[in-house]
Amino acid sequence: MTILGLGPIGLAVLAQIKKKYKVQVFAVDPVPERLALAARFGADVLINPKDKDTLQAVDEWTHGEGSNVVIECAGLPLTIGQTIHLVSPGGRIVIVGLTGKDVVFPGQLLTKKDVELLGTRHSVNKFPGVLAFLQENPEISEAFITRIMPFAAIEEALQTARNTPEKVTKIILNYEDYPEG
């Protein structure tokens, strides 16, 4: 299995898959901090596309077979387009990441590989299950937290997340010191 994009959603997918199934996972992201967190969550192979070609790495590790399942969580046309090249014949592609741009697939590969291509409806009725998973696995939920800040610092928290996304997984806003009113 290959997961492209290790932001909070990709990491959550990885954590749940590794807890529930005995499957080898290739974790792909250009941010070293995210790859380090993926290793903590059980990723078997870490691929930084800045250092190594993703298609070549997966091809080498799978001896040319490709990944049975490719889950795209980055929401980039480039990585969505890569999925068809990474998936094995008869495999499954799951697109989780969002993009407003057009994505191009070589139609012949979809047919030749007999690939199942799935989209997602993201959070529809999924929050209770995710919350239960995180409650049952506190080491995972705690690993997601980059910083805890007072609610009054919400502007700083949003700027930090926007300006340095490679250094932020999740910022928790603490309401304890927030005045009621």
Side-chain angles (χ1 to χ4, degrees), residues 105-151:
F105 287 106
Q108 192 174 28
L109 282 181
L110 284 171
T111 303
K112 278 185 171 183
K113 286 189 168 188
D114 190 23
V115 170
E116 184 177 17
L117 177 60
L118 303 170
T120 60
R121 283 234 18 195
H122 291 282
S123 60
V124 176
N125 299 320
K126 300 296 182 198
F127 281 121
V130 172
L131 291 174
F133 175 81
L134 291 173
Q135 193 169 28
E136 293 165 7
N137 299 280
E139 74 284 359
I140 292 172
S141 59
E142 290 169 11
F144 271 94
I145 301 170
T146 305
R147 286 178 69 185
I148 298 175
M149 301 174 72
F151 181 77

Side-chain angles (χ1 to χ4, degrees), residues 76-91:
L76 301 171
L78 172 70
T79 52
I80 294 171
Q82 281 181 334
T83 60
I84 189 64
H85 300 284
L86 292 167
V87 72
S88 64

Side-chain angles (χ1 to χ4, degrees), residues 1 11 16-17 22 25 29 34 45 51 55 57 59 61 63 80 98 105 114 119 123 131-132 145 153 160 172 174 181:
M1 175 177 298
L11 288 167
Q16 291 183 60
I17 286 170
K22 292 184 190 269
V25 175
D29 199 284
R34 291 179 180 174
V45 178
D51 299 333
L55 303 175
D59 195 51
W61 279 95
H63 306 289
I80 294 171
L98 293 174
F105 287 106
D114 190 23
S123 60
L131 291 174
I145 301 170
T160 300
I172 303 297
N174 184 338

Side-chain angles (χ1 to χ4, degrees), residues 18-32:
K18 289 304 284 189
K19 283 284 186 179
K20 294 180 181 181
Y21 305 103
K22 292 184 190 269
V23 62
Q24 184 178 43
V25 175
F26 302 100
V28 183
D29 199 284
V31 178

